[in-house]
């Protein structure tokens, strides 16, 4: 038990390997000890500091016990889709906040969708997380712990994690530093060693963040959520479309493309009668023509706070055909696990609905 006056214990999962090394160097331990601790955290994936006894030097373990901790969220609620592929977790952090993490297993390629914030400030009208508002940013350790939780689950059946998508609750580029430190930890070759091409960061279009990402060359694939190809149509669904107009957003995307020489994915949630018309598909085609772009169309997952419905399959196909006429490849992304509220923010909304006295119908 910590005395009331001592500083809070440092969560080791919050530190990339360089920062961990600087801390240990200050305590008189070399990079060799840093790497031994790192491997224990991310290769062996120890669950507590007690498990470091006999692994690290006793004086280091003693200092870690006095000054640090391994903070992991607990499972507040979990559901499995009827097809067995999707496992959705509502994880609870120390301060009682809950966030969503979704594990999808498909043909031996496991993907986890993780959150970067509790809630979200961006207010997209169709999104359950946006309907909640922002509570707070997640720390790097809270982002990393979601991945550790699912690698723990996968290890039980001898599976490993392949893809990470930053498409859970929150806007990753609004929590830029926390997210990028987490990415540094996830790709570290001595630890989880997730391939940089296998991490996808999805943003609502935070222009300064996209430019910073282009300048820093972080090892992620970029996905930009558009949903509208004119400022007025986009802003009706994505309020920050008023802050960063499409001209400015597309200029940032082109800057990213040119600097990083990487394809950008664009996401488009298809809502019947709202943004699924041929005229909007043509506008999108014109907007992206000539770019190294791929469009992911996602039929709407209905949420309590938004009256829209998903586009029917014929409208989805027609939309894709128009994009193809501009030379734009596209893929339909089903939000898998709809039967378990597996849309962004939906499990939290469903579980906490009685307390938040939201309408009970969906
Ligand atoms: N904040 C980031 C990442 C989280 S949302 C972003 O907006 O990109 C990940 C993706 O899910 C976004 O493309 C978002 O528009 C989409 N999405 C959110 N709620 C949805 C819903 N109810 N139905 C379909 N797609 C949704
Ligand atoms: Fe936030 Fe993304 Fe949801 Fe928009 S879609 S409210 S940016 S989480």
């Amino acid at each position: 038990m910590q005395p009331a006056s001592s500083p809070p214990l440092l969560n080791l999962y919050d530190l990339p390997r360089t920062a961990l090394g600087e801390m240990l160097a200050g305590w008189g331990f070399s990079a060799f000890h840093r790497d031994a601790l790192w491997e224990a955290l991310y290769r062996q994936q120890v669950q507590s500091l007690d498990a470091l006894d006999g692994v690290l030097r006793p004086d280091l373990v003693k200092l870690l016990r006095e000054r640090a901790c391994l903070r992991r969220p607990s499972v507040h609620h979990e559901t499995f889709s009827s097809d067995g592929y999707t496992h959705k977790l509502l994880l609870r952090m120390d301060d009682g906040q809950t966030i969503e993490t979704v594990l999808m297993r498909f043909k031996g390629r496991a993907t986890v969708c993780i959150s970067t914030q509790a809630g979200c400030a961006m207010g997209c009208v169709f999104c359950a997380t946006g309907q909640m508002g922002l509570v707070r940013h997640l720390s790097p350790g809270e982002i990393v712990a979601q991945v550790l939780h699912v690698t723990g689950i996968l290890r039980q059946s001898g599976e490993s994690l392949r893809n990470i998508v930053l498409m859970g609750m929150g806007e990753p580029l609004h929590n830029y530093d926390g997210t990028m430190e987490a990415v540094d930890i996830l790709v570290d070759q001595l630890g989880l060693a997730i391939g940089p091409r296998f991490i996808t960061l999805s943003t609502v279009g935070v222009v300064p963040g996209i430019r910073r990402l282009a300048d820093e060359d972080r090892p992620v694939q970029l996905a930009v959520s558009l949903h509208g190809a004119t400022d007025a149509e986009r802003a009706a669904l994505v309020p920050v479309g008023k802050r960063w107009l499409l001209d400015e957003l597309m200029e940032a995307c082109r800057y990213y493309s040119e600097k990083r020489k990487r394809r950008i994915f664009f996401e488009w949630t298809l809502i019947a009668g709202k943004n699924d018309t041929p005229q909007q598909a043509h506008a999108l085609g014109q907007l992206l023509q000539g770019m190294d772009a791929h469009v992911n169309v996602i039929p709407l997952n209905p949420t309590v706070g938004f009256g829209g419905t998903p586009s029917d399959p014929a409208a989805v196909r027609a939309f894709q055909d128009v994009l193809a006429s501009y030379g734009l490849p596209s893929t339909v992304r089903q939000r898998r696990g709809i039967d378990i509220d597996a849309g962004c923010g939906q499990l939290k909304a469903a579980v906490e609905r009685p307390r938040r006295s939201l309408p009970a119908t969906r």
Side-chain angles (χ1 to χ4, degrees):
M1 197 62 187
Q2 246 200 322
S5 58
S6 51
L9 294 175
L10 184 100
N11 183 12
L12 292 180
Y13 297 130
D14 277 333
L15 300 180
R17 188 150 55 98
T18 41
L20 182 68
E22 282 159 22
M23 185 179 84
L24 294 199
W27 301 356
F29 293 90
S30 67
F32 171 84
H33 297 282
R34 171 200 65 188
D35 290 350
L37 172 56
W38 190 263
E39 288 189 11
L41 296 180
Y42 297 109
R43 283 279 158 98
Q44 287 85 50
Q45 299 185 12
V46 297
Q47 301 274 340
S48 72
L49 293 177
D50 291 342
L52 299 173
D53 283 324
V55 176
L56 302 179
R57 242 169 59 186
D59 50 346
L60 175 53
V61 179
K62 182 168 176 288
L63 279 174
L64 287 171
R65 277 210 187 88
E66 286 164 12
R67 300 176 188 178
C69 64
L70 291 182
R71 205 171 290 135
R72 286 193 183 211
S74 56
V75 178
H76 181 57
H77 190 84
E78 62 189 322
T79 45
F80 297 85
S81 61
S82 47
D83 62 14
Y85 288 132
T86 309
H87 178 176
K88 180 137 189 172
L89 296 140
L90 194 57
L91 299 177
R92 185 194 189 98
M93 290 162 303
D94 266 13
D95 64 352
Q97 286 304 320
T98 52
I99 50 161
E100 295 182 9
T101 304
V102 186
L103 170 61
M104 290 157 281
R105 295 153 131 143
F106 192 62
K107 294 188 179 152
R109 293 196 303 263
T111 297
V112 66
C113 175
I114 59 175
S115 298
T116 53
Q117 296 180 313
C120 183
M122 303 296 148
C124 304
V125 295
F126 52 81
C127 169
T129 308
Q131 291 155 17
M132 290 167 201
L134 178 68
V135 181
R136 67 172 176 83
H137 293 326
L138 298 187
S139 72
E142 288 171 331
I143 299 171
V144 168
Q146 297 171 66
V147 175
L148 288 173
H149 191 89
V150 302
T151 52
I153 295 172
L154 291 168
R155 278 182 170 201
Q156 290 167 14
S157 50
E159 292 168 89
S160 57
L161 182 65
R162 188 170 132 122
N163 300 296
I164 298 179
V165 293
L166 303 168
M167 292 190 185
M169 297 171 71
E171 168 47 48
L173 297 184
H174 184 207
N175 178 15
Y176 192 96
D177 293 332
T179 299
M180 296 310 162
E181 282 173 27
V183 167
D184 289 346
I185 296 169
L186 298 171
V187 300
D188 192 294
Q189 283 300 315
L190 270 195
L192 290 160
I194 304 292
R197 285 186 305 115
F198 298 107
I199 299 183
T200 301
L201 182 152
S202 173
T203 176
V204 72
V206 176
V207 165
I210 294 173
R211 290 187 167 270
R212 196 172 155 193
L213 196 60
D215 290 335
E216 291 181 355
D217 191 21
R218 295 288 181 162
V220 292
Q221 299 274 2
L222 180 64
V224 177
S225 298
L226 276 181
H227 315 307
T230 64
D231 285 321
E233 282 162 342
R234 184 163 193 260
L237 298 170
V238 179
V240 294
K242 291 194 213 72
R243 176 153 174 209
W244 293 296
L245 298 179
L246 279 167
D247 270 355
E248 206 187 338
L249 174 58
M250 295 315 295
E251 207 179 292
C253 289
R254 277 189 286 274
Y255 177 71
Y256 179 92
S257 262
E258 277 155 30
K259 262 204 116 165
R260 304 277 56 105
K261 309 269 179 279
R262 279 201 204 113
R263 164 171 293 192
I264 301 183
F265 293 83
F266 289 92
E267 291 160 281
W268 191 282
T269 292
L270 274 174
I271 308 165
K274 284 233 191 284
N275 65 354
D276 65 349
T277 62
Q279 168 254 328
Q280 279 150 317
H282 281 290
L284 176 59
Q286 280 153 18
L287 193 69
L288 301 184
Q289 202 170 29
M291 276 184 83
D292 185 8
H294 185 107
V295 179
N296 288 324
V297 289
I298 318 164
L300 176 77
N301 212 358
T303 53
V304 173
F306 180 65
T309 51
S311 306
D312 63 46
V316 175
R317 258 193 315 278
F319 196 87
Q320 287 187 283
D321 288 346
V322 174
L323 296 184
S325 71
Y326 288 85
L328 276 173
S330 65
T331 309
V332 183
R333 301 265 178 234
Q334 287 298 340
R335 294 187 69 91
R336 292 173 56 220
I338 285 187
D339 59 330
I340 57 164
D341 292 310
C344 170
Q346 287 184 267
L347 180 64
K348 181 175 162 79
V351 169
E352 299 180 358
R353 192 173 300 150
R355 261 183 283 143
R356 292 160 51 89
S357 58
L358 288 168
T361 50
R362 296 188 56 209

